[in-house]
Amino acid sequence: MKRISLVIIILITIIGITFWRTQVYSGPYLQQQCRVMMTTYVTIYAYGTKSVVSNAINHAFQRMQEVVDKFNAHNPGSPLYTFNQNGTPIKDEEIIKVVKTALDISKQSGGVFDVTVYPLVKLWGFYGENLNQAPSQDKITEALTHIGYNHLILANGELKRDREGIFIDLGGIAKGYVVGQGIEALKKAGVNSAIIQAG
């Protein structure tokens, strides 16, 4: 009889502790969220207290989306869009910072990396156009005359171009910056351990 009572007490205790941990446990745990961004799936894995982690992930996604919208050359609200369409100088410090890094990489690589490749990318149909065949050599040659990072001028806190038809596409460098901003947002929100997987 004593054994049965002891077993019952042990079972009740185990059930009680399990229930308590499920209901009120607020210690560190791993949470993940996935959203579509930059034409791919972006997943944030963050470890920490439930209340901190949930808010931090939301803040990180908000910050990342803010940067994505700003750096999107096809977004009419982006300074890049008005630069490409009208030649309006860019004064946004964040965009200038990334373009400056891109220009440094262009110089170091001898032009292998070039953010003015927009006309060629568009010609090949990477912006959603239906292209049934490869563009002709004549069209490729023509597009190449509108490419050249040396036509971007950074001076007095502004980004300008020295000839018409020079367009910017930050797709080759912006994703890394976007992810970096997500990490910074997580840190500011109190998360010390996280991974952002972006395609």
Side-chain angles (χ1 to χ4, degrees), residues 11 23 48 107 112 140 143 168:
L11 285 175
Q23 298 301 313
K107 290 171 186 175
V112 173
I140 292 173
I168 296 175

Side-chain angles (χ1 to χ4, degrees), residues 9 26 98 101 134 175 181:
I9 290 170
S26 59
V98 173
T101 301
K175 183 182 282 188
Q181 289 301 295

Side-chain angles (χ1 to χ4, degrees), residues 90-186:
I90 295 174
K91 299 180 181 180
D92 185 280
E93 292 180 3
E94 193 168 30
I95 293 177
I96 289 175
K97 176 184 175 182
V98 173
V99 169
K100 186 177 183 307
T101 301
L103 293 178
D104 289 342
I105 296 170
S106 295
K107 290 171 186 175
Q108 291 171 20
S109 67
V112 173
F113 179 80
D114 193 332
V115 292
T116 65
V117 75
Y118 185 107
L120 197 58
V121 176
K122 180 177 172 59
L123 181 64
W124 278 90
F126 285 101
Y127 295 135
E129 298 88 346
N130 288 322
L131 189 65
N132 295 321
Q133 59 184 11
S136 67
Q137 185 58 51
D138 288 343
K139 288 184 178 180
I140 292 173
T141 302
E142 168 63 20
L144 288 172
T145 65
H146 298 288
I147 294 172
Y149 68 90
N150 53 304
H151 294 295
L152 296 178
I153 311 299
L154 273 172
N156 302 317
E158 289 187 343
L159 175 65
K160 301 178 181 179
R161 60 190 185 190
D162 65 5
R163 61 175 290 184
E164 198 172 335
I166 297 297
F167 299 90
I168 296 175
D169 180 347
L170 295 176
I173 193 171
K175 183 182 282 188
Y177 183 78
V178 169
V179 171
Q181 289 301 295
I183 291 293
E184 288 302 315
L186 290 170

